[in-house]
Amino acid sequence: MYKRGLLLYSGGLDTSVILKMLQEKLGMDVVTLTLDVGQEENDLAAIAEKAWKLGASDVITKNVKNEFAGGYISREIMADGMYDGAYPLSTSIARPLMSLEAVNAADTHDCDVIVHGCTGKGNDQVRFEVSIRALNPDLNVIAPVRDWGLNRDQEMEYASKNGIPVKLGGKYSTDENLWGRSVEGSDLEDPRKPIPADAYAWVTPPDQTPHEAVEFTLQFTAGIPVEINGVRKPLAKIVSDLNGIAGKAGYGAIDHLEDRVTGIKSREFYECPAASVIINAHRSLERMTLSREEAAFKSIIESKWTTMTYDGLWFDPLMDHLNSFLKSVNAYVSGTVSLKLQNGNLFVQGMESPYTLYNYEKSTYGMHDTFNQSYAKGFVELFGMQTVNTNSVRKKAVAEISKSF
Ligand code: ARG
């Protein structure tokens, strides 16, 4: 039926079982693709070895952390992307890059179908399939967990029969990359209960948060962090440094009841220390460097960009237009933000920018004031004229109407 399949392979239970089943059930030749997007388990050599052992006909591994930071995370920072105002899209933002890499690998390895390990309940199936088909409509996509109705017990049984090594202990369903860690399932499924301590991995749980303050600066150029504490580093490195610093300080854990594209409300737990710090710092710097009109209009674009990214529409042409706006509106979002982490909170302590729109002589109540207050009297008169006039007309009308009853 299919010539050769390209499997997005993480090395976990689902995709290992799929790798074997595709060969056994469909007689398919399978090429595996494993990408390092900054997940903790990124021993690409060990994952590759496992794929070879399970019969892969070719094995591809690739470190794409810099591509991820440069082409995806950076755009999200410019957009201040927070789905439902809470979730920094850590899983969502990696999917278009993974889809693009899969499409390219399918092309170079002559595969006519891409296989992924998503279930039928989540957003990721939508993101992969829409992205893959938007990039190459001739490719087929299959999702065996969803399409063949596989469940965990069946997979475990199949794994033990087929000598597939299974790592036990994963109580939750997790997904990790540079931008964050997503946790679902098990004890999190009861929204009446708090997040259990064993769900935390990157962030110090609240009852163990250290009291000592950690202070640092973040420098932005055109909306993108370029230096931490005055040291220039690639964005991927700044993000991984901040995951360490802020996670240890107990900052960046998010308990969220989320609306999925598939209509399901789900309780999700996210650990996104770097994303939370960077987006907060970036938003603060925008307060200083964007005009009122720019900021107000940007919030409309942000919201559109965020839902489209969440919904898996990254390769929709509208995204190019939104990204162009975001790049242009971020041109002056440059400067240094001083931050402090303490007791699990982030404080923006101060900021400065060569393009600051804050004008001390206009703002001050002190002796250096240059604001001409005499202009204000006429301004207030005209500014409120409609409101004052409408109210006075309506008040008279109400009096008249009530007289006639
Ligand atoms: N709900 C999130 C999203 O759709 C995260 C899903 C992560 N997957 C997981 N296996 N925990 O972006």
Side-chain angles (χ1 to χ4, degrees), residues 306-321:
T306 299
T307 11
M308 287 187 74
T309 300
Y310 183 85
D311 290 357
L313 301 179
W314 184 268
F315 294 106
D316 187 283
L318 178 60
M319 286 299 277
D320 291 339
H321 307 309

Side-chain angles (χ1 to χ4, degrees), residues 87 91-92 95 123-124 127 173-175 182-184 258 260 266 268 270 310:
Y87 164 43
T91 292
S92 338
R95 299 319 193 190
N123 301 310
D124 287 330
R127 297 171 185 146
S173 159
T174 59
D175 175 64
S182 307
V183 194
E184 293 175 329
E258 183 168 308
R260 290 189 189 158
S266 71
E268 311 265 336
Y270 297 109
Y310 183 85

Side-chain angles (χ1 to χ4, degrees), residues 50-333:
K50 191 168 174 183
W52 284 121
K53 270 199 190 131
L54 295 176
S57 67
D58 212 339
V59 170
I60 315 164
T61 58
K62 198 170 167 190
N63 175 347
V64 290
K65 285 197 285 252
N66 286 324
E67 288 87 335
F68 183 37
Y72 299 81
I73 291 176
S74 63
R75 291 203 165 115
E76 183 182 326
I77 297 169
M78 292 195 274
D80 297 307
M82 284 275 181
Y83 182 67
D84 288 340
Y87 164 43
L89 300 169
S90 45
T91 292
S92 338
I93 191 77
R95 299 319 193 190
L97 171 61
M98 295 171 80
S99 307
L100 177 66
E101 291 290 340
V103 168
N104 289 341
D107 183 37
T108 47
H109 287 75
D110 203 21
C111 300
D112 53 352
V113 58
I114 291 180
V115 189
H116 64 77
C118 301
T119 73
K121 299 181 74 167
N123 301 310
D124 287 330
Q125 55 174 340
V126 182
R127 297 171 185 146
F128 282 131
E129 292 177 26
V130 175
S131 300
I132 289 166
R133 298 192 32 80
L135 291 166
N136 182 353
D138 296 334
L139 278 169
N140 300 292
V141 185
I142 48 178
V145 177
R146 174 194 69 192
D147 302 346
W148 305 344
L150 303 179
N151 64 46
R152 208 178 159 81
D153 294 336
Q154 284 172 323
E155 288 182 9
M156 295 287 276
E157 203 190 306
Y158 185 87
S160 79
K161 275 197 192 135
N162 287 275
I164 300 172
V166 178
K167 210 185 99 200
L168 288 174
K171 174 170 160 193
Y172 301 103
S173 159
T174 59
D175 175 64
E176 281 179 2
N177 62 49
L178 256 189
W179 204 228
R181 175 173 182 264
S182 307
V183 194
E184 293 175 329
S186 188
D187 295 347
L188 299 176
E189 287 171 356
D190 185 348
R192 291 171 301 187
K193 301 210 176 107
I195 302 295
D198 67 359
Y200 287 78
W202 290 16
V203 176
T204 308
D207 54 348
Q208 294 157 38
T209 303
H211 172 66
E212 302 80 57
V214 185
E215 299 191 26
F216 58 99
T217 60
L218 214 49
Q219 184 172 332
F220 290 80
T221 298
I224 307 299
V226 289
E227 286 180 11
I228 179 164
N229 285 326
V231 183
R232 199 163 197 90
K233 291 182 184 180
L235 180 59
K237 180 73 176 107
I238 293 179
V239 171
S240 69
D241 282 5
L242 282 174
N243 277 329
I245 297 169
K248 194 160 162 251
Y251 180 71
I254 300 149
D255 177 4
H256 187 45
L257 201 80
E258 183 168 308
D259 286 308
R260 290 189 189 158
V261 189
T262 49
I264 296 170
K265 271 196 194 292
S266 71
R267 209 274 186 93
E268 311 265 336
F269 177 56
Y270 297 109
E271 296 184 281
C272 304
S276 306
V277 169
I278 292 173
I279 292 177
N280 269 299
H282 179 260
R283 273 205 171 124
S284 297
L285 197 56
E286 284 183 333
R287 297 306 316 146
M288 178 173 258
T289 53
L290 296 191
S291 72
R292 188 183 183 208
E293 295 299 332
E294 286 171 329
F297 189 72
K298 182 172 185 281
S299 73
I300 302 169
I301 303 296
E302 282 170 7
S303 134
K304 189 70 187 163
W305 187 98
T306 299
T307 11
M308 287 187 74
T309 300
Y310 183 85
D311 290 357
L313 301 179
W314 184 268
F315 294 106
D316 187 283
L318 178 60
M319 286 299 277
D320 291 339
H321 307 309
L322 301 182
N323 283 320
S324 299
F325 170 81
L326 290 169
K327 194 159 187 238
S328 127
V329 82
N330 269 277
Y332 300 99
V333 186

